[in-house]
Amino acid sequence: KTAYEIVSRDWSSDVCSSDLRQTKTITVTVDIPAGDSFSVSMWTMLDIDQLLDREKLESPSTNRNAVSMGVKNSFGFGINIYQNPPNVITTNVEITKMQFFKKQDKKPATVLLEAKNLGTGIGYCLYYLEMVNLVTGKQRNLKVKQFAIFPGYTKHFSFELPNDFEKGPYSAIAVLDFGNKEELQTAELEFNLE
């Protein structure tokens, strides 16, 4: 036996049918193999699709090479399944790039961040951008956002700068809290907002 072992787990939920007045309960069972080699962060997507009887398509043409096509509406959805076992102890998400893009046509000025998960577990992160106008000293924080990132993966995310920002030179500090009790990741970028 390992410290972390799940043999199977059942999930049940009410699922809307194509008739919005009806609900149906479905049960999904996921088997996770036992053993240390499976005590790592894993993820998958489960697709659930509604099965409908399909009527035989009759070709309006007598030509043997004719192809008939039909469209049948059905309902489907995906479920993300994550495993982050207790033996995963290395949490390390780093900001690898920070760039500023000037306002162009109808696109607002944007600060782009890139982060990479160098740890062994799924990183659950909060991040925000702290902006300081270098002439007036006025400080403004942009909304806190959150994301999850898998081990070895890189994620890009952006902050669109509101139109009411004063023009001028800015210092932008990106702050990334990736769940490590001892440290935060930060990055700084200076640019001129025109």
Side-chain angles (χ1 to χ4, degrees):
K1 298 260 179 185
T2 62
Y4 178 72
E5 197 170 295
I6 295 181
V7 175
S8 67
R9 177 167 287 170
D10 290 338
W11 284 279
S12 295
S13 64
D14 287 336
V15 179
C16 290
S17 71
S18 58
D19 180 349
L20 296 178
R21 295 170 300 226
Q22 296 180 10
T23 62
K24 295 192 181 202
T25 299
I26 63 168
T27 300
V28 177
T29 302
V30 177
D31 290 324
I32 300 172
D36 288 340
S37 63
F38 294 99
S39 291
V40 295
S41 294
M42 293 186 194
W43 58 94
T44 190
M45 176 172 266
L46 174 66
D47 290 317
I48 299 177
D49 294 309
Q50 178 184 24
L51 295 178
L52 298 174
D53 291 331
R54 301 190 188 274
E55 294 135 20
K56 182 180 176 187
L57 288 173
E58 299 294 336
S59 176
S61 172
T62 56
N63 182 341
R64 292 180 132 190
N65 295 325
V67 175
S68 295
M69 296 180 70
V71 175
K72 187 92 169 180
N73 292 327
S74 64
F75 179 77
F77 59 92
I79 301 171
N80 288 312
I81 300 173
Y82 306 102
Q83 169 181 298
N84 212 21
N87 68 322
V88 173
I89 56 173
T90 307
T91 305
N92 185 14
V93 179
E94 290 188 3
I95 298 172
T96 54
K97 189 186 292 184
M98 187 173 180
Q99 290 178 289
F100 171 72
F101 293 94
K102 294 180 180 181
K103 181 178 180 177
Q104 291 183 347
D105 301 323
K106 294 183 181 182
K107 293 181 181 179
T110 304
V111 174
L112 177 74
L113 295 177
E114 177 183 278
K116 183 167 185 172
N117 186 344
L118 302 173
T120 57
I122 299 169
Y124 299 100
C125 305
L126 296 173
Y127 64 100
Y128 65 93
L129 199 62
E130 191 175 284
M131 303 276 296
V132 177
N133 184 309
L134 296 175
V135 172
T136 65
K138 184 176 178 182
Q139 181 178 327
R140 189 164 168 187
N141 292 349
L142 297 185
K143 185 178 176 182
V144 175
K145 300 180 180 185
Q146 63 183 32
F147 68 95
I149 184 170
F150 302 115
Y153 276 63
T154 299
K155 189 143 192 154
H156 297 91
F157 41 95
S158 61
F159 288 94
E160 292 182 356
L161 303 183
N163 289 330
D164 63 349
F165 263 55
E166 294 178 50
K167 297 188 183 329
Y170 279 86
S171 170
I173 299 173
V175 179
L176 175 66
D177 180 350
F178 55 93
N180 186 311
K181 294 178 184 177
E182 298 164 8
E183 67 177 303
L184 296 171
Q185 278 284 316
T186 60
E188 185 176 10
L189 178 67
E190 290 188 5
F191 57 85
N192 194 44
L193 190 58
E194 299 172 357

